[in-house]
Amino acid sequence: MKNKINVYLIEYAINAILRQKSKSFFIVFVFTLLTFLLTSVFFITNSIRYELDSTVDTLPQIIVQKIKAGRHYDIDVDAVDNILEIAGVSDAVARVWGYYYFANAGVNFSVVGIEQYENQYKNSFDKIASKFDLSEIDSKVSMVVGHGVKETMHDSYYKEYFNFIKPDGTLKRVNIAGVFEADTQLESNDVIVMSKDTIREIFDIDESKATDIVVKVANPEEIPMVVSKIKLIYPDTRIISSEDLKVSYQNIFDYKSGIFLALFIISLFTFFIIIYDKSSGLSSEEKREIGILKAIGWRVDDVLKEKFYESFIISFFAYTLGVGFSFAYVYIFQAPILQNIFVGYSQLKTSFELPFIFDLQTLFLVFFLSVPIYIAATIIPSWKVATLEADEVIR
Amino acid sequence: MIELKNITKTYELNKNDKVVALDNVNLTINEGELVVLKGASGSGKSTILSLIAALSKPTSGEVIVDNKKISKLPDNFASVYRRDNIGFIFQKYNLIPTLSVKENIILPLVPLNPPANEIVEKLDRVAKMFNISHKKDAIVRNLSGGEQQRVAIARANVNDPKILIADEPTANLDEKLSLNFIEILRELKALNKTIVIATHDPLFFDLDFVDREIQVHNGKIIL
């Protein structure tokens, strides 16, 4: 019986909130906005990190690029045979790829060449190989495109084919055979896959040359050894291991996260200003009300319970609203404005979808950063007043 | 029933400025007695009421009610004592202006979390007794001074306290409303409640149902 919830106290708390309509509305508005910002930042960061981790997992173990005068040049395809002879190397493939600038939308697409007889180095490309008949792609001069590429081309009325402009100024028509399905949006969104022959024609790359060579090592522990051996044979190359790429991707991610961190700090700072303002004292009306309640027989804990209900209702309501809006903003509307900070990998502007990551930790973190702090900021000044002599407070 | 023994109450305005509100006051009020404390503003009448209601503690001396030293009660026990024993009618009513009449009257019952029917029963009883039933849903700030006072009296009686305390109850009322209040007092006295009133309103002097008039002057009781 003693533990029965006092509905009259809850009713009084709700009335207290409704009595101060404009003040309560302002608090709910600011609280919701801050919760929304914080949660959105966390949701976007989580989604991007998930994308990044998935991307890093599919990176080639070693990439060999020819360097001349500090710049990246096409490498001789013959080098593949020599690399395959190095102990520990299980596969080596000459890649033909490049960036194609799509002037209509002002974006770059990554154009990648694959051949059906090669062992593919990416799981995602394996999916293409199983889904499409590569020989048909080759014979019909077709391509498979990422979702972002498809949308961008559709916007410019290229629905069935696209005319690539070759270096000599002539056009190369390539049919759109399908849409690329890959594990990660970040990686696949701006990608166009076609046969190596077609790519060579579009970018004017000779049969004996490739953009780079990717190397697979059976035992990942042996990667540093294989890297040093390739360097010995081809001193004019830059050799990038998957570890180097991970660091590079991580740096980009950390840089972008820094912007979000700044937003996060600003949000938190604003929140604490409100909290400081609230905890610095009660208005004379609020003090008087506590004094009256004490004078008519309310105990200190009755007053504090009522204040707890009042602050919990207002802050939890605002928290729920903020989180709800954040879910809708990030996962339904795909975080317009904020997401643009992250779009831009490889100087691309093509859109990508934030994957839905349900992270209970994030929800708890935002909850503990906001609701209990607000409750404490409400209860502490009330407690200070409630423990004074009622007579003194009323006077 | 109520006993003030050697009571001194000093208010400290700042480090060098102290005001002696009560100076070695001794007073006994019997059960069912109606006592009027007379005196000018600042004489110490309200301080006596505040001590009896355990709204403040004496600097020295003891306040004993029903053989219990209420001046030594910890804060939470003092609240419970007030809730169970005291009905206080404040000079400025001390109602919560944005709440309705009904909500103001039942405020002392809220922490007790009684069954809904008990609340309704108690509310109806006092609202009817003090002629405020027709305004139960009105917001207090929209009421006249006399109506607000009736709400304050109803709230003070909702717990059916043994002791009723009124501090300058007619200070904000015209003569007609003051006379109404005196009639209400007469009815409460008939219910055998112990009533202590602090006032300097001459309307309270020489009333037939008042048991004693006590003069307070400069923090002392003048016999």
Side-chain angles (χ1 to χ4, degrees):
Chain A
M1 195 69 179
K2 267 188 176 178
N3 293 326
K4 207 174 102 182
I5 292 172
N6 190 335
V7 284
Y8 303 109
L9 263 185
I10 296 173
E11 198 181 324
Y12 185 86
I14 294 169
N15 274 341
I17 293 167
L18 297 176
R19 270 188 281 144
Q20 306 168 15
K21 277 193 189 77
S22 49
K23 187 186 162 196
S24 302
F25 176 80
F26 176 75
I27 292 171
V28 168
F29 175 76
V30 173
F31 206 110
T32 303
L33 185 71
L34 294 175
T35 313
F36 165 76
L37 268 177
L38 275 181
T39 318
S40 298
V41 165
F42 282 127
F43 282 168
I44 295 172
T45 311
N46 286 345
S47 293
I48 298 286
R49 189 171 285 280
Y50 172 81
E51 284 284 323
L52 182 69
D53 288 345
S54 309
T55 304
V56 165
D57 286 345
T58 60
L59 290 173
Q61 287 172 321
I62 299 170
I63 300 171
V64 184
Q65 294 175 336
K66 187 177 173 68
I67 297 295
K68 199 164 131 187
R71 294 181 64 194
H72 174 201
Y73 277 79
D74 292 341
I75 192 165
D76 287 332
V77 175
D78 294 346
V80 170
D81 297 332
N82 295 333
I83 290 170
L84 278 170
E85 280 172 18
I86 297 171
V89 173
S90 62
D91 195 13
V93 175
R95 294 197 305 187
V96 183
W97 61 276
Y99 295 123
Y100 185 84
Y101 182 67
F102 186 55
N104 288 20
V107 296
N108 280 310
F109 295 138
S110 304
V111 188
V112 180
I114 57 174
E115 282 174 16
Q116 66 185 114
Y117 54 83
E118 285 176 348
N119 287 325
Q120 298 307 319
Y121 53 88
K122 285 184 180 180
N123 296 334
S124 46
F125 279 15
D126 280 341
K127 285 185 180 175
I128 291 184
S130 62
K131 205 163 187 177
F132 298 96
D133 184 351
L134 292 177
S135 61
E136 191 179 314
I137 286 177
D138 200 20
S139 61
K140 290 186 178 175
V141 194
S142 301
M143 61 184 170
V144 182
V145 298
H147 277 285
V149 178
K150 180 195 155 196
E151 282 168 25
T152 311
M153 285 186 169
H154 271 217
D155 290 344
S156 296
Y157 304 102
Y158 289 107
K159 292 184 178 172
E160 290 172 0
Y161 66 92
F162 180 71
N163 285 325
F164 287 91
I165 304 168
K166 295 193 285 188
D168 62 5
T170 59
L171 297 176
K172 174 71 180 174
R173 177 178 161 144
V174 184
N175 295 320
I176 301 170
V179 179
F180 188 23
E181 300 290 347
D183 288 344
T184 77
Q185 286 277 340
L186 268 181
E187 182 197 23
S188 65
N189 214 37
D190 68 307
V191 171
I192 297 173
V193 176
M194 58 179 68
S195 76
K196 282 186 177 174
D197 288 342
T198 314
I199 250 191
R200 285 181 196 284
E201 195 180 341
I202 291 169
F203 290 146
D204 190 25
I205 299 171
D206 192 80
E207 286 271 343
S208 63
K209 299 282 183 186
T211 313
D212 54 27
I213 295 168
V214 292
V215 181
K216 192 174 178 183
V217 180
N219 178 5
E221 299 290 321
E222 291 177 352
I223 290 175
M225 187 268 293
V226 172
V227 166
S228 60
K229 282 189 176 171
I230 296 171
K231 194 73 188 168
L232 272 176
I233 305 169
Y234 297 104
D236 58 343
T237 56
R238 175 168 61 193
I239 303 163
I240 306 159
S241 70
S242 54
E243 278 307 308
D244 299 330
L245 279 173
K246 274 182 192 174
V247 171
S248 169
Y249 271 88
Q250 195 61 48
N251 284 344
I252 297 169
F253 180 75
D254 289 345
Y255 164 71
K256 304 280 185 181
S257 295
I259 298 169
F260 273 68
L261 189 67
L263 265 177
F264 172 77
I265 290 167
I266 291 167
S267 308
L268 217 57
F269 185 66
T270 317
F271 180 70
F272 279 105
I273 287 175
I274 293 170
I275 293 299
Y276 175 76
D277 181 56
K278 190 147 179 64
S279 60
S280 58
L282 301 176
S283 69
S284 56
E285 267 183 36
E286 288 170 313
K287 283 181 189 170
R288 193 166 161 271
E289 186 171 323
I290 291 174
I292 293 170
L293 296 176
K294 286 282 305 286
I296 60 172
W298 285 40
R299 292 172 305 172
V300 173
D301 52 315
D302 296 324
V303 173
L304 297 187
K305 263 186 212 165
E306 188 277 319
K307 290 291 169 192
F308 171 80
Y309 289 140
E310 199 180 312
S311 53
F312 180 78
I313 290 167
I314 209 164
S315 58
F316 190 71
F317 175 68
Y319 166 80
T320 313
L321 269 186
V323 169
F325 285 148
S326 181
F327 260 112
Y329 173 74
V330 175
Y331 296 124
I332 297 174
F333 298 106
Q334 289 294 306
I337 303 171
L338 280 185
Q339 198 218 66
N340 288 343
I341 295 171
F342 277 95
V343 176
Y345 280 87
S346 310
Q347 285 76 50
L348 292 171
K349 285 205 304 193
T350 48
S351 63
F352 85 97
E353 280 199 7
L354 291 165
F356 177 77
I357 309 292
F358 184 75
D359 182 17
L360 215 55
Q361 267 184 324
T362 298
L363 297 181
F364 276 122
L365 180 64
V366 176
F367 180 86
F368 285 114
L369 277 174
S370 56
V371 176
I373 293 171
Y374 180 81
I375 292 173
T378 306
I379 285 183
I380 291 168
S382 302
W383 171 77
K384 279 183 191 165
V385 173
T387 48
L388 294 173
E389 281 189 347
D391 187 48
E392 189 185 336
V393 180
I394 294 174
R395 276 167 198 267
Chain B
M1 185 197 195
I2 302 171
E3 208 177 346
L4 275 69
K5 276 187 180 172
N6 306 317
I7 291 290
T8 298
K9 175 71 180 175
T10 307
Y11 290 106
E12 198 168 316
L13 302 178
N14 54 52
K15 275 185 181 176
N16 304 317
D17 204 358
K18 288 179 181 173
V19 173
V20 180
L22 292 176
D23 185 9
N24 199 31
V25 167
N26 287 284
L27 174 67
T28 304
I29 299 168
N30 299 314
E31 192 172 343
E33 203 177 8
L34 194 160
V35 174
V36 172
L37 301 174
K38 301 193 291 186
S41 295
S43 59
K45 308 184 298 288
S46 298
T47 306
I48 292 176
L49 300 187
S50 178
L51 292 170
I52 294 172
L55 287 173
S56 65
K57 289 186 168 60
T59 311
S60 65
E62 282 179 349
V63 181
I64 301 164
V65 177
D66 281 345
N67 300 318
K68 285 176 196 151
K69 288 179 185 174
I70 60 122
S71 48
K72 306 285 184 198
L73 286 177
D75 194 76
N76 269 352
F77 288 94
S79 290
V80 174
Y81 157 76
R82 276 193 297 276
R83 196 175 65 199
D84 296 343
N85 299 284
I86 304 288
F88 205 123
I89 302 160
F90 297 92
Q91 181 179 346
K92 289 175 184 167
Y93 316 132
N94 276 340
L95 300 169
I96 296 177
T98 45
L99 290 182
S100 69
V101 168
K102 186 170 67 183
E103 288 162 342
N104 265 286
I105 293 174
I106 66 164
L107 268 185
L109 304 174
V110 166
L112 296 168
N113 196 19
N117 59 339
E118 189 183 321
I119 285 203
V120 173
E121 192 185 305
K122 286 186 171 180
L123 170 69
D124 287 345
R125 179 179 60 82
V126 290
K128 197 174 169 187
M129 185 187 284
F130 302 107
N131 195 24
I132 198 75
S133 298
H134 60 295
K135 296 270 186 177
K136 267 196 297 194
D137 295 315
I139 298 297
V140 158
R141 66 164 167 236
N142 299 330
L143 301 180
S144 68
E147 287 169 332
Q148 286 194 22
Q149 195 195 43
R150 290 211 296 276
V151 177
I153 299 167
R155 185 184 67 186
N157 281 280
V158 75
N159 262 339
D160 197 18
K162 287 183 283 187
I163 303 166
L164 207 61
I165 292 170
D167 189 7
E168 301 284 4
T170 56
N172 297 308
L173 301 178
D174 59 26
E175 191 175 336
K176 191 184 164 199
L177 290 172
S178 298
L179 290 171
N180 281 345
F181 178 74
I182 287 170
E183 282 313 303
I184 291 170
L185 266 190
R186 188 191 296 275
E187 288 165 24
L188 290 169
K189 162 77 175 163
L191 296 172
N192 200 35
K193 289 188 186 294
T194 306
I195 303 171
V196 188
I197 299 164
T199 184
H200 59 266
D201 187 343
L203 284 174
F204 284 87
F205 306 155
D206 303 323
L207 290 171
D208 58 348
F209 62 95
V210 171
D211 297 306
R212 263 195 297 165
E213 290 177 12
I214 296 169
Q215 185 73 42
V216 185
H217 182 71
N218 282 344
K220 289 178 188 286
I221 288 178
I222 312 293
L223 297 171

